[in-house]
Amino acid sequence: YLFNSPVAGIAAQILHSNSVSILYDHLLVKEPGTVAPTPWHNDYSYWHISGEDICSVWLALDNVKRESMVTYVKGSHKWKMMHKITNFSGESSDDGRYDESPNQDEIPLDKIEKGEYELLGWDMEPGDVVVHHGWTLHGASGNADLATMRRGYATRWVGDDIRFDPRPGTMHFNWANNGYDCGLAKGDKMECELFPVVHRQSV
């Protein structure tokens, strides 16, 4: 999928980038009857990057109803919010990996709950994709369906202007502690063995 499908080219086209590298990929699974929601967040606040050319591609692997699909705050990518972050598993299981984060912005939960922002989401079928910017605020409910999993395969793509920025409290340090140090210096372009270039525009 990463190297032999149109996904990298789609990311490059959306980002208006001559090349894109894969930052990372992961499988997001909510078992039938999952109660715990995915809290409101943007991805950028967690990432060791600077720049604007960054997007996520969320690929549906199951039929997903709107009520359990990822929901996005329309226009929130323009806020460029660096919000306070925590472990998605909850405070009781927080292992301290984000303790050094300097992020201070507060997510406007009250305004979201009061309906002051337009929220976007869709029914999804296997093979459908949604693309969102790294700054976009999003979250999801649990999976109330007692018969069907909600699986999504997320790929994160970086384009021309993204540079390595190992700010305190970002994912880089946990990765490095587990043997996945990219070896880049602050300000380097995100192109290396850990972040391979997958698509490059033909000259």
Side-chain angles (χ1 to χ4, degrees):
Y1 174 71
L2 292 179
F3 295 94
N4 297 300
S5 82
V7 63
I10 291 170
Q13 183 177 6
I14 287 173
L15 295 172
H16 303 288
S17 287
N18 292 316
S19 66
V20 292
S21 300
I22 182 71
L23 179 61
Y24 69 99
D25 65 331
H26 59 151
L27 188 64
L28 301 164
V29 179
K30 287 193 176 178
E31 297 286 350
T34 297
V35 176
T38 302
W40 291 103
H41 68 285
N42 67 32
D43 300 325
Y44 204 109
S45 294
Y46 294 81
W47 290 343
H48 36 282
I49 60 170
S50 63
E52 297 295 321
D53 298 339
I54 175 81
C55 70
S56 295
V57 180
W58 198 95
L59 170 69
L61 301 180
D62 300 292
N63 288 302
V64 184
K65 294 297 184 183
R66 167 68 181 85
E67 54 266 25
S68 60
M69 175 55 189
V70 180
T71 298
Y72 303 90
V73 178
K74 183 178 180 180
S76 57
H77 63 291
K78 298 177 183 178
W79 304 348
K80 298 186 178 181
M81 175 182 291
M82 284 292 225
H83 63 74
K84 295 178 181 179
I85 56 179
T86 187
N87 191 329
F88 271 23
S89 298
E91 293 182 3
S92 62
S93 64
D94 198 334
D95 58 9
R97 71 183 64 180
Y98 301 123
D99 286 350
E100 301 301 317
S101 172
N103 298 359
Q104 293 298 317
D105 292 341
E106 297 282 355
I107 295 173
L109 297 176
D110 288 345
K111 291 184 177 182
I112 294 172
E113 292 171 1
K114 291 176 182 178
E116 295 186 23
Y117 302 116
E118 184 177 353
L119 303 181
L120 303 177
W122 303 269
D123 290 338
M124 303 278 285
E125 297 180 353
D128 287 346
V129 298
V130 174
V131 182
H132 70 265
H133 194 275
W135 288 117
T136 303
L137 198 63
H138 57 287
S141 66
N143 180 13
D145 192 319
L146 298 179
T148 306
M149 288 195 294
R150 195 220 73 175
R151 295 173 298 174
Y153 179 50
T155 52
R156 321 298 190 167
W157 300 94
V158 297
D160 293 341
D161 79 341
I162 297 294
R163 298 294 183 268
F164 182 60
D165 184 10
R167 301 184 310 279
T170 56
M171 293 169 62
H172 163 70
F173 299 96
N174 187 54
W175 288 7
N177 289 339
N178 285 279
Y180 297 98
D181 191 335
C182 62
L184 298 176
K186 183 177 180 179
D188 284 351
K189 194 168 184 179
M190 302 285 281
E191 296 181 357
C192 61
E193 185 176 1
L194 191 59
F195 311 127
V197 176
V198 181
H199 174 89
R200 196 181 299 277
Q201 186 75 25
S202 299
V203 178

